[in-house]
Amino acid sequence: MLRRLVLSRPIATAATMIVCSVGLSLGFWQLDRMQQKLMLAADIAKKEESRPLLANDKDWQLSEVKHHRMIARGVYLEDQSVWLENRPHPQGRDPKTGISTGFLVMTPLKLDGSQRVLWINRGWAPRDGMNREALPKISTPSGPVQVEGLAFEYPSRVMSMGTQGSSAESQKIQQNLDIQKQSKYLGFDYLPFVLREVAAANDDGLQRDWPSMTTGVEKHQGYAFQWFALTVFALLFWLITGILRKKIDE
């Protein structure tokens, strides 16, 4: 009977096959994304337990430090901070103000004993809803500091509406941070990764309640279920309508 349904409805059959192929592909893609997040979370958890690396020890490469805990000693170049806009609160919404979108504050740390800088993702700060160009008040240590964090390739990125030229690189508010261009603009060598500070929230005005790397796993599961359900419904629709049509023709 199935063969007869296929032969008698070639267009409907082809359309159903396309829908099922797309549904299965996207469903398995969502499961793959979920697995990637779980593996990344396991990798970070394992490396967090290891002994922290010292950024000042040598000219580290990203492959050596990615997701490792690291300690950096130096002096903040406060005036060269970059404020990355349109960044969500680490936990979705600020429990005090209810604000969900703000800035990530990226400040270069000049490492002790070298002419290199390491970019520090110091945390999140809310944006002024009345004046979008106003920067929140935060405090930055003026003397030597020791910062502990996790090494990442770059801070989270958002869609950029254009390319940033040399003039834009000097602006405090940016959409995304290119540490190579920004460091070159400052006239410093740099380590090719950023350090996301893990210190508990303090009086500097920044929040660092970073979400778990497994955040969003349930979302991928839900999307996968939806795509697989679409595949099943498409098959059932094709089968039921085919049977009904066959009965009407008879």
Side-chain angles (χ1 to χ4, degrees), residues 133-160:
E133 298 302 317
L135 297 176
K137 293 182 179 180
I138 64 171
S139 61
T140 303
S142 58
V145 296
Q146 175 173 296
V147 182
E148 186 170 353
L150 294 179
F152 287 89
E153 184 175 0
Y154 44 73
S156 61
R157 293 177 174 175
V158 297
M159 182 180 295
S160 176

Side-chain angles (χ1 to χ4, degrees), residues 23 25 28 31 57 77 88 95 117 135 160 184 189 203 210 221 246 248 250:
S25 298
F28 283 117
L31 291 179
D57 275 353
L77 304 179
V117 295
L135 297 176
S160 176
K184 184 178 180 180
D189 292 331
D203 295 332
W210 305 114
Q221 287 179 321
K246 182 176 179 296
I248 293 175
E250 293 175 352

Side-chain angles (χ1 to χ4, degrees), residues 1-18:
M1 183 181 74
L2 287 177
R3 182 179 181 183
R4 186 180 302 175
L5 289 176
V6 171
L7 294 176
S8 64
R9 307 170 67 212
I11 296 178
T13 300
T16 301
M17 292 180 63
I18 292 174

Side-chain angles (χ1 to χ4, degrees), residues 130-237:
M130 303 299 295
N131 183 1
R132 295 183 60 82
E133 298 302 317
L135 297 176
K137 293 182 179 180
I138 64 171
S139 61
T140 303
S142 58
V145 296
Q146 175 173 296
V147 182
E148 186 170 353
L150 294 179
F152 287 89
E153 184 175 0
Y154 44 73
S156 61
R157 293 177 174 175
V158 297
M159 182 180 295
S160 176
M161 301 306 294
T163 56
Q164 294 178 340
S166 58
S167 60
E169 291 171 7
S170 63
Q171 297 176 356
K172 287 185 175 295
I173 300 177
Q174 298 186 23
Q175 289 181 311
N176 294 297
L177 174 65
D178 185 322
I179 59 175
Q180 179 181 10
K181 290 182 179 180
Q182 196 72 26
S183 302
K184 184 178 180 180
Y185 168 79
L186 298 179
F188 284 97
D189 292 331
Y190 68 100
L191 292 180
F193 51 89
V194 301
L195 197 65
R196 191 177 73 179
E197 188 175 357
V198 296
N202 50 39
D203 295 332
D204 60 6
L206 296 166
Q207 300 184 36
R208 289 181 284 274
D209 299 321
W210 305 114
S212 168
M213 297 306 297
T214 58
T215 299
V217 167
E218 299 81 2
K219 177 186 66 176
H220 292 300
Q221 287 179 321
Y223 287 157
F225 175 80
Q226 292 176 7
W227 287 116
F228 290 143
L230 174 64
T231 302
V232 173
F233 289 146
L235 283 172
L236 289 175
F237 180 80

